[in-house]
């Protein structure tokens, strides 16, 4: 008999005839021993007790379509405690007389643990084999199932697990200490689930970026999964002082049931990459802009509250979200705006978002908003005032509303803008401000239109000397010009003269 290697289910007859009677008991009675103690004796399998007769029974295998005979002498424990439907673990061997597959070293899998919500600790004994390393399209259960051993009341049990049972993007290695829960799957088979790597046999190095810091501790945004991990300052290399934004490498250990980052080392800036940005430029329409004037709504735990709809390469309509760092500039975006953007894909969960969002000119052709023109009259810290063509008062604007972020804003820049009631203004103090400010080419903005030049005329009434009347152009003098029938008069003001002219 000896050690059986990897068991190939396809190479075996699945059913065992019922005529294998109790007379085989003498063959096996001397083989019972410390059940499950030696993990190297062969591959342990799980099954369900399907039938129990006078001195033998049948087990329905969990990992494959097979029904195996077993003799009661092969059961480790009191046979009276075994019932139909009980989950068991066993090793498949062959009957010496008939050469047929049978179950030996049968043990009951501890049912009292199954029902509890508590986490059990154990050790990985068999790693999951990666599909590529097997090199064949074998349908053997061993390619996708690993094993974990744990002790219960002095007995050693083995449980199968699959890739989906492991929490986080981690690969379990033989010898790793893990915690898990025990559950039955749809077919009634027992297995380990919600497996967490507690302390690896060979610690894996993880990467991330320090995202926040307090007095003695902080958090690192992990590069392998979308979550943050706690660290204490004492876990960092003494020679370095960590700052938010630092790229770091660390191992993960479990303390008091919580994962913490340890052995933290700083990496060169730019080492940790969370996402890949495609260079393809997409064009779409804003479905939901960011509500910048209401920070409370921004905090409703959605880091990407904005939405853009666009047509994908296959002409299907797709919605993609964006956050407050994805606009090129902090100008106001509105529902229905046409924008261009790039797509960024998070390496951890493949989530896509729009980034490098800029407003397209055609927005203003279809939005129906009234655009006005003016020039920058004065600049302060972070804000300034515009002199407008259609308004007498200066108009407030914030630097964040300038669409072209690559350009420094200067006095006398010619611009086009939309006027809104300032969200911060009260009913009494109804302040207006300019938003969505777009630079215009030089000599676009005209405060007055030149109708005719080099006209000659004669002063027929002098303008009053009052500087206030001149400044406000309330009362002026009169110039007569033109010949014969076409004689016309026009007002003039002292502020428009080189030196004050006299009558005639």
């Amino acid at each position: 008999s000896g050690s059986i290697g990897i068991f190939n289910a396809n190479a075996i007859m699945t059913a065992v005839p019922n005529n294998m009677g109790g007379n085989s008991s003498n063959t096996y009675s001397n083989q019972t021993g410390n059940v499950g103690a030696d993990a190297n004796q062969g591959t342990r399998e799980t099954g369900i007790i399907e039938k129990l007769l006078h001195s033998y029974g049948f087990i329905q295998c969990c990992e494959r379509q097979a029904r195996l005979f077993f003799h009661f002498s092969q059961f480790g424990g009191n046979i009276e405690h075994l019932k139909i439907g009980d989950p068991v673990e066993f090793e498949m061997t062959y009957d010496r007389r008939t050469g047929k597959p049978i179950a030996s070293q049968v043990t009951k899998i501890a049912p009292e643990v199954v029902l509890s919500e508590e986490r059990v600790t154990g050790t990985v004994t068999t790693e999951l084999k990666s599909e590529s390393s097997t090199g064949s399209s074998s349908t053997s259960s061993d390619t996708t199932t690993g094993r974990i051993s744990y002790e219960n009341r002095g007995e050693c049990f083995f449980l199968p697990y699959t890739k989906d049972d492991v929490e986080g993007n981690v690969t379990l290695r033989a010898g790793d200490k893990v915690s898990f829960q025990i559950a039955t799957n749809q077919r009634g088979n027992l297995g380990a689930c919600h497996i967490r790597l507690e302390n690896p046999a060979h610690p894996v190095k993880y990467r991330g970026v320090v995202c926040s810091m307090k007095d003695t501790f902080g958090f690192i945004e992990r590069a392998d999964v979308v979550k943050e991990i706690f660290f204490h300052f004492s876990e960092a290399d003494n020679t370095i002082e960590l700052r938010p934004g630092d790229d770091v490498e660390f191992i993960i250990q479990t303390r008091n049931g919580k994962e913490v980052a340890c052995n933290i080392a700083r990496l060169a800036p730019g080492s940790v990459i969370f996402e890949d940005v495609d260079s393809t430029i997409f064009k779409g329409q804003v479905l939901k802009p960011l509500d910048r004037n209401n920070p409370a709504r921004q905090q409703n735990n959605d880091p990407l509250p904005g939405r853009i709809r666009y047509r994908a390469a296959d002409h299907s309509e797709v919605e993609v979200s964006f956050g407050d760092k994805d606009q090129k500039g902090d100008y106001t975006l509105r529902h229905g705006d046409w924008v261009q953007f790039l797509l960024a894909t998070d390496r951890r969960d493949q989530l896509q978002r729009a980034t490098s969002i800029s407003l397209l000119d055609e927005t203003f052709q279809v939005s129906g908003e009234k655009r006005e023109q003016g020039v920058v009259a004065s600049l302060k810290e972070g804000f300034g005032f515009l002199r407008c063509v259609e308004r007498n008062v200066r108009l407030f604007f914030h630097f964040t509303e300038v669409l072209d972020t690559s350009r420094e804003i200067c006095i006398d820049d010619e611009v086009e803008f939309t006027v809104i009631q300032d969200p911060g203004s009260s009913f009494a103090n109804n302040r207006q401000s300019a938003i969505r400010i777009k630079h215009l080419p030089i000599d676009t903005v005209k405060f007055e239109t030149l109708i005719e030049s080099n006209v000659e005329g004669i002063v027929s009434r002098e303008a009053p000397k009052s500087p206030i009347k001149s400044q406000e152009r309330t009362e002026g003098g009169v110039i007569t010009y033109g010949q014969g029938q076409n004689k016309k008069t026009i007002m003039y003001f002292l502020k428009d003269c080189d030196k004050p002219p006299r009558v005639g």
Side-chain angles (χ1 to χ4, degrees), residues 41 46 51 92-93 142 164 182 186 209 212 224 236 244 254 286 323 400 413 416 425 434 437 441 451:
Q41 276 191 300
T46 50
K51 201 168 189 180
M92 196 209 74
T93 55
D142 293 284
D164 297 336
I182 303 177
Q186 286 89 343
V209 173
S212 62
D224 56 322
T254 303
V286 176
T400 53
D413 280 355
E416 178 185 271
S425 69
I437 300 166
I451 303 168

Side-chain angles (χ1 to χ4, degrees), residues 1-114:
S1 50
S3 171
I4 299 174
I6 291 176
F7 163 70
N8 182 351
N10 299 342
I12 287 213
M13 306 266 299
T14 52
V16 178
N18 282 350
N19 60 7
M20 283 182 69
N23 57 358
S24 56
S25 61
N26 54 354
T27 320
Y28 301 108
S29 54
N30 59 353
Q31 288 183 12
T32 54
N34 185 357
V35 175
D38 182 3
N40 298 325
Q41 276 191 300
T43 309
R44 301 281 292 164
E45 289 190 52
T46 50
I48 303 287
I49 298 292
E50 189 187 68
K51 201 168 189 180
L52 291 172
L53 296 160
H54 173 59
S55 60
Y56 60 93
F58 291 89
I59 297 170
Q60 178 67 47
C61 298
C62 290
E63 280 104 327
R64 54 202 173 85
Q65 291 296 318
R67 184 164 168 269
L68 296 182
F69 167 94
F70 77 100
H71 193 270
F72 285 178
S73 61
Q74 283 295 309
F75 178 69
N78 186 342
I79 197 73
E80 287 173 15
H81 293 165
L82 198 60
K83 305 186 299 298
I84 289 174
D86 277 350
V88 290
E89 208 181 44
F90 58 90
E91 215 169 280
M92 196 209 74
T93 55
Y94 292 88
D95 180 33
R96 289 176 184 164
R97 217 161 33 84
T98 63
K100 291 193 169 152
I102 58 167
S104 66
Q105 297 192 30
V106 180
T107 56
K108 193 169 165 182
I109 301 176
E112 60 270 23
V113 187
V114 178

Side-chain angles (χ1 to χ4, degrees), residues 292-418:
R292 292 186 184 283
N293 300 315
N294 191 347
R297 276 181 60 188
Q298 292 292 89
Q299 296 298 315
N300 65 359
N301 72 31
D302 184 359
L304 304 174
R307 297 276 184 282
I308 292 173
R309 182 170 56 207
Y310 71 101
R311 277 204 192 285
D314 60 0
H315 299 299
S316 62
E317 282 205 342
V318 186
E319 273 186 37
V320 65
S321 43
F322 66 93
D324 56 359
K325 296 191 184 113
D326 293 319
Q327 258 177 245
K328 277 187 174 171
D330 284 340
Y331 50 82
T332 304
L333 269 186
R334 290 175 164 177
H335 175 85
D337 281 351
W338 283 99
V339 289
Q340 70 174 33
F341 59 93
L342 303 175
L343 277 180
T345 306
D346 194 312
R347 290 181 173 184
R348 300 168 291 180
D349 58 5
Q350 304 309 305
L351 187 74
Q352 287 196 320
R353 64 185 175 82
T355 192
S356 297
I357 301 168
S358 56
L359 195 58
L360 292 172
D361 280 351
E362 60 198 81
T363 288
F364 302 121
Q365 291 151 25
V366 296
S367 68
E369 66 196 275
K370 182 177 187 324
R371 299 288 280 170
E372 296 186 25
Q373 292 185 347
V375 296
V376 176
S378 62
L379 295 173
K380 307 274 188 281
E381 270 295 312
F383 66 94
F385 290 89
L386 302 177
R387 178 176 159 225
C388 312
V389 173
E390 302 177 45
R391 296 166 189 268
N392 290 328
V393 292
R394 298 284 164 96
L395 192 63
F396 172 88
F397 74 96
H398 211 279
F399 286 4
T400 53
E401 286 292 346
V402 178
L403 298 181
D404 187 352
T405 50
S406 62
R407 181 168 168 172
E408 191 159 336
I409 190 148
C410 304
I411 286 183
D412 290 334
D413 280 355
E414 301 186 21
V415 291
E416 178 185 271
F417 50 88
T418 301

Side-chain angles (χ1 to χ4, degrees), residues 129-296:
K129 295 200 174 50
S130 62
E131 274 72 8
S132 55
S133 65
T134 54
S136 69
S137 57
S138 158
T139 53
S140 161
S141 60
D142 293 284
T143 43
T144 51
T145 311
R147 290 206 174 284
I148 291 172
S149 69
Y150 70 100
E151 278 198 6
N152 184 43
R153 298 189 181 171
E155 278 195 273
C156 184
F157 297 97
F158 292 80
L159 284 176
Y161 73 93
T162 64
K163 186 164 160 245
D164 297 336
D165 296 320
V166 183
E167 290 186 355
N169 189 9
V170 293
T171 305
L172 297 181
R173 299 275 172 233
D176 286 351
K177 296 277 180 283
V178 291
S179 71
F180 54 93
Q181 286 171 307
I182 303 177
T184 46
N185 66 13
Q186 286 89 343
R187 289 165 60 186
N189 312 334
L190 279 174
C193 63
H194 301 299
I195 303 166
R196 282 184 208 143
L197 177 59
E198 297 292 354
N199 288 316
H202 310 287
V204 180
K205 291 223 160 121
Y206 294 90
R207 291 185 160 199
V209 173
V210 178
C211 56
S212 62
M213 291 174 76
K214 302 284 186 289
D215 295 338
T216 56
F217 64 91
F219 289 89
I220 295 168
E221 185 175 1
R222 287 170 59 172
D224 56 322
V225 287
V226 185
K227 69 181 194 189
E228 295 175 4
I229 186 166
F230 171 91
F231 73 94
H232 193 272
F233 286 2
S234 60
E235 290 296 345
D237 178 350
N238 295 336
T239 59
I240 59 171
E241 188 185 334
L242 289 178
R243 294 191 176 88
D246 281 351
D247 291 9
V248 290
E249 191 169 60
F250 54 93
I251 64 167
I252 295 178
Q253 290 191 345
T254 303
R255 309 250 169 97
N256 303 332
K258 281 206 171 74
E259 285 188 337
V260 295
C262 306
N263 300 9
I264 302 165
R266 186 156 56 198
L267 300 170
S271 304
V272 179
I273 299 171
F274 288 108
E275 59 189 16
D276 301 300
V277 181
D278 195 329
S279 58
T280 313
I281 295 175
F282 289 94
K283 178 179 152 183
Q285 244 183 327
V286 176
L287 284 183
K288 183 167 169 244
L290 303 177
D291 188 358
R292 292 186 184 283
N293 300 315
N294 191 347

